[in-house]
Amino acid sequence: MRMTVADVMTEKVVTVSAATPFKEIAETLISGGISAVPVTDDDNHVLGMVSEADLLRKEEFREQFYREGYRPPLRARLRHPKGREKAEGDTASELMTSPAVTVTAASPVVEAARLMDERDVKRLAVVDYNGRLVGIVSRRDLVKLFLRSDEEIARVVREDVLDRSLWVNTDGVRVDVRQGIVTLTGWMEHRSEAAIAVRMAGRVNGVADVVDKLTWKQDDSKWEAR
């Protein structure tokens, strides 16, 4: 029920080597319609990532500091050391962001999304347990998870959550899905079981929210508190 990075990643990845020159990297991004490319060694280990932003710094710093032969003051050069290095870089090893932010193919997609948010990146290199590149996953890949049809979401909630995972009687539960929002109505035997059903439905890929309208015959929360 829970998708992993392997389910959504792109396996055929365009790469460059550490020695690949600036112009070739730019042409690779443009011709491939991609915004970043992994930098790998001869054994396919990921060394870093070069993005459009990394390349744009070259022109940005050239225009900002070196127009008409101008050289920035020492204070400005010290304030932007990494940016200045990339602005002067001519190869992938000099332009890349390293180390690359990576994830394994077996990782849950939720983990990949959190990692992108925490590290403020738009894509992750997917590696095996030896650090070799096996794919790439982007924000766009993760967004696709929310494009599942309402019918498909309802089927998964009904069959995988209610009928298979809970191991209790769920015949009294009805599932309605509209625009990715799941509404559970009807009844279950125990209050705790209803709460579990709501939580598990919310974890189904593509679910935007869960509206809980379930009732129960027995409030077993009182038993747990004793």
Side-chain angles (χ1 to χ4, degrees), residues 106-122:
S107 300
V109 292
V110 173
E111 180 180 326
R114 288 174 179 169
L115 190 56
M116 287 184 193
D117 182 59
E118 291 171 1
R119 301 295 294 274
D120 192 26
V121 294
K122 297 179 180 179

Side-chain angles (χ1 to χ4, degrees), residues 188 190-201 212 214 216:
M188 294 187 71
H190 298 98
R191 181 175 184 175
S192 62
E193 296 168 354
I196 293 173
V198 171
R199 287 199 300 270
M200 293 186 68
D212 178 12
L214 291 173
W216 54 88

Side-chain angles (χ1 to χ4, degrees), residues 28-91:
T28 298
L29 296 181
I30 294 172
S31 62
I34 52 180
S35 59
V37 60
V39 183
T40 58
D41 63 15
D42 294 338
D43 202 26
N44 210 32
H45 290 104
V46 180
L47 304 176
M49 189 84 71
V50 179
S51 69
E52 290 176 337
D54 294 323
L55 299 187
L56 288 173
R57 283 178 181 172
K58 191 174 183 69
E59 291 303 320
E60 172 190 336
F61 273 75
R62 181 178 294 167
E63 288 294 317
Q64 183 177 353
F65 290 141
Y66 299 109
R67 184 179 301 170
E68 297 180 357
Y70 172 71
R71 182 171 178 78
L74 177 62
R75 183 172 59 183
R77 299 201 303 271
L78 293 176
R79 189 165 58 245
H80 303 286
K82 292 184 178 180
R84 184 169 180 272
E85 288 174 8
K86 291 189 177 185
E88 295 178 344
D90 293 316
T91 64

